[in-house]
């Protein structure tokens, strides 16, 4: 027992040493942004790590290293963007979250074929869960094999189907942004629900990818809690990774710094994870009705496009389906998601996955869901809140599927 205790202690110490401390990192929060500030914020966001999506009329939140803090504060002052320090030192917050997750993992070992909603699962646990689920339900479930990530992890999702030919299909991916840990539990909850209800499988074939960026997701567990991008190195730079949600081949914008959190990559679909999803979406365009990318945070239901506020042809249906979904979420516990055009906040994006699915004509209904934030740092709900989030979001997604297939 004593030896085992020492080994566990060594493992914990070993992983703690490799883990970025975020000591001295601050979180700055602005006053609600004015339209005049938005061009500056768009530019600043290419260099500094804004959390959530900056939005006119709302406060923005940016995480800064000790070196960057004076630069960002000076820029805010120059642009007359008033701001305050919302977290003075992120280090202890990250350490507390990490210790809690470690403790929960030891206290609540994974059960076969049961998704955990009382703690955050690792990529390996989620992948094992998917395989066990498929093995246990061979008549309705199969592995959705999308190939390999850059580091060779399997991009394994799940297909749930009643087996009938000619079914329409719906797609959900979660955690293409590595650090958005609250997203995979939502994808796992969809799998639970569709497995349990044959009527849902009669509606459509369901394709669900719980961890769309497994390299980054794993890295956010082992090395850097706030890792967002993929893990493919950039030639000629020490800065690793591409923002996968800027890497899709629709209005891909090749301008960007390697070190930026929104670096779009060396070419559209330079990232194998994005190419795999893009390939699925384009080759299933005939059956695909709905595409949903699940992100955090902001309590938003966003519809295309990200580069313009110009309405798309079926904007009324997109708003109606999104509003029905938001109403279903609100009915559970009162949380109100806002339904918006992605560019409504005057923060503009190019090469996003939902815009790709819509823009190439594959999915007439295409959305990004930004789930709730939370916790002491504000970015991620504590493990104790996972169940609440999945409980309220599932009825909203079910409503979205029902609406988009009926209209
Ligand atoms: Zn995201």
């Amino acid at each position: 027992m004593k030896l085992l205790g020492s080994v566990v202690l060594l493992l914990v110490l070993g992983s703690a040493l490799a883990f970025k401390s975020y000591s001295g990192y601050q979180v700055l929060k602005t006053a609600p942004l004015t339209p005049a500030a938005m061009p500056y914020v768009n530019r600043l966001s290419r260099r500094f790590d804004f959390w959530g999506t900056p939005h006119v009329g709302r406060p923005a939140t940016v995480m800064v290293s000790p070196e960057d803090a004076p630069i960002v504060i000076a820029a805010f002052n120059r642009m007359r963007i008033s701001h305050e320090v919302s977290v003075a030192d992120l280090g202890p917050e990250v350490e507390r979250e990490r210790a809690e997750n470690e403790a929960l993992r030891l206290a609540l070992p994974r059960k076969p074929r049961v998704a955990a909603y009382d703690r955050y699962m690792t990529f390996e646990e989620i992948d094992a869960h998917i395989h066990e689920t498929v093995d246990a339900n061979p008549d309705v479930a199969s592995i959705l094999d999308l190939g390999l990530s850059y580091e060779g992890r399997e991009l394994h999702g799940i297909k749930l189907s009643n087996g009938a030919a000619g079914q329409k299909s719906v797609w959900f991916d979660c955690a293409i942004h590595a650090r958005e840990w609250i997203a995979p539990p939502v994808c796992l909850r969809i799998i639970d629900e569709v497995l349990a209800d044959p009527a849902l499988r009669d509606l459509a074939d369901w394709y669900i990818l719980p961890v769309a960026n497994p390299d980054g997701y794993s890295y956010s567990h082992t090395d850097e809690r706030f890792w967002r991008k993929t893990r493919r190195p950039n030639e000629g730079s020490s800065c690793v990774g591409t923002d996968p949600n800027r890497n899709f081949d629709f209005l891909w914008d090749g301008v960007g710094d390697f070190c930026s959190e929104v670096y779009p990559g060396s070419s559209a679909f330079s990232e194998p994870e994005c190419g795999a999803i893009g390939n699925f979406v384009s080759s299933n365009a005939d059956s695909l009705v709905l595409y949903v990318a699940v992100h955090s945070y902001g309590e938003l239901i966003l519809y295309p496009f990200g580069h313009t506020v110009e309405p798309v042809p079926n904007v009324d249906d997109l708003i109606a389906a999104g509003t029905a979904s938001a109403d279903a979420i609100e009915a559970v516990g009162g949380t109100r998601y806002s339904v918006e055009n992605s560019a409504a906040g005057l923060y503009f994006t190019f090469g996003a996955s939902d815009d790709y699915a819509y823009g190439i004509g594959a999915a007439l209904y295409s959305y990004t869901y930004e789930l709730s934030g939370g916790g002491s740092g504000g970015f991620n709900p504590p493990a104790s809140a996972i169940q609440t989030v999945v409980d309220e979001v599932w009825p909203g997604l079910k409503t979205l599927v029902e609406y988009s297939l009926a209209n």
Side-chain angles (χ1 to χ4, degrees):
M1 260 330 272
K2 199 173 172 199
L3 181 64
L4 183 64
S6 308
V7 170
V8 168
L9 183 66
L10 276 175
L11 285 172
V12 169
L13 280 176
S15 58
L17 286 176
F19 200 75
K20 178 168 169 170
S21 78
Y22 291 94
S23 175
Y25 275 64
Q26 294 179 24
V27 180
L28 306 176
K29 189 176 177 185
T30 72
L33 297 169
T34 62
M38 291 312 294
Y40 301 110
V41 171
N42 273 273
R43 215 177 307 148
L44 277 177
S45 75
R46 290 174 173 264
R47 187 168 161 203
F48 301 105
D49 190 354
F50 281 78
W51 284 356
T53 303
H55 195 292
V56 67
R58 295 187 196 146
T61 301
V62 58
M63 176 179 76
V64 287
S65 67
E67 303 76 53
D68 284 346
I71 303 170
V72 174
I73 288 168
F76 281 162
N77 287 337
R78 259 196 326 276
M79 298 159 197
R80 302 183 194 288
I81 298 172
S82 55
H83 55 275
E84 60 180 26
V85 176
S86 80
V87 181
D89 183 0
L90 203 51
E93 313 286 350
V94 170
E95 194 41 56
R96 185 182 323 139
E97 182 195 60
R98 183 171 165 74
E100 182 193 59
N101 284 331
E102 292 287 338
L104 287 171
R105 202 179 318 288
L106 292 173
L108 304 163
R110 195 178 72 83
K111 298 191 196 80
R113 300 192 306 281
V114 179
Y117 300 108
D118 44 17
R119 63 181 180 82
Y120 288 103
M121 295 166 82
T122 64
F123 170 72
E124 287 75 17
E125 289 179 310
I126 293 171
D127 193 51
H129 171 73
I130 290 168
H131 282 267
E132 289 160 4
T133 300
V134 167
D135 290 346
N137 301 276
D139 45 336
V140 296
S142 56
I143 292 288
L144 167 66
D145 184 357
L146 296 175
L148 298 176
S149 69
Y150 171 75
E151 290 179 342
R153 290 182 180 82
E154 283 169 326
L155 292 163
H156 278 169
I158 197 164
K159 177 187 180 184
L160 300 170
S161 171
N162 67 7
Q167 286 268 82
K168 294 292 182 191
S169 61
V170 294
W171 167 280
F172 297 86
D173 63 67
C174 290
I176 200 167
H177 283 147
R179 63 195 183 186
E180 293 165 6
W181 289 4
I182 189 60
V186 168
C187 269
L188 296 177
R189 176 60 176 271
I190 299 168
I191 295 170
D192 288 351
E193 295 284 347
V194 180
L195 266 179
D197 186 353
L200 291 173
R201 302 193 297 271
D202 289 343
L203 277 179
D205 289 346
W206 297 64
Y207 295 92
I208 300 138
L209 181 62
V211 184
N213 174 9
D215 298 348
Y217 183 78
S218 298
Y219 192 76
S220 73
H221 279 257
T222 56
D223 288 75
E224 289 190 31
R225 174 63 189 90
F226 293 107
W227 191 261
R228 165 183 166 101
K229 300 193 284 183
T230 61
R231 288 294 304 161
R232 195 170 66 83
N234 293 307
E235 209 177 317
S237 172
S238 61
C239 290
V240 170
T242 285
D243 182 344
N245 206 32
R246 301 289 186 278
N247 189 241
F248 281 71
D249 192 11
F250 181 75
L251 296 177
W252 178 78
D253 173 13
V255 182
D257 184 270
F258 294 135
C259 299
S260 168
E261 293 296 338
V262 293
Y263 174 58
S266 55
S267 62
F269 288 149
S270 59
E271 306 311 289
E273 300 83 0
C274 304
I277 296 171
N279 187 39
F280 177 91
V281 167
S282 60
S283 54
N284 288 278
D286 287 348
S287 70
L288 199 63
V289 171
L290 171 68
Y291 173 93
V292 178
V294 182
H295 289 249
S296 74
Y297 61 87
E299 293 167 354
L300 294 164
I301 298 173
L302 302 170
Y303 58 85
F305 285 115
H307 67 285
T308 175
V309 294
E310 199 63 35
V312 294
N314 65 331
V315 64
D316 292 342
D317 278 333
L318 284 165
I319 292 172
T323 303
S325 179
D327 290 347
I329 292 171
E330 187 176 19
V332 177
T335 307
R336 185 67 201 180
Y337 279 55
S338 175
V339 182
E340 294 182 8
N341 161 239
S342 293
L346 303 182
Y347 177 79
F348 301 102
T349 56
F350 299 83
S353 68
D354 57 341
D355 285 354
Y356 173 82
Y358 184 86
I360 67 162
L364 210 49
Y365 290 85
S366 189
Y367 296 90
T368 290
Y369 275 60
E370 297 279 0
L371 304 172
S372 299
S376 39
F379 187 88
N380 196 66
S384 57
I386 299 173
Q387 189 70 54
T388 304
V389 172
V390 299
D391 282 351
E392 66 183 7
V393 172
W394 161 248
L397 295 176
K398 182 184 177 193
T399 299
L400 188 76
V401 167
E402 288 167 346
Y403 187 103
S404 57
L405 287 162
N407 288 274

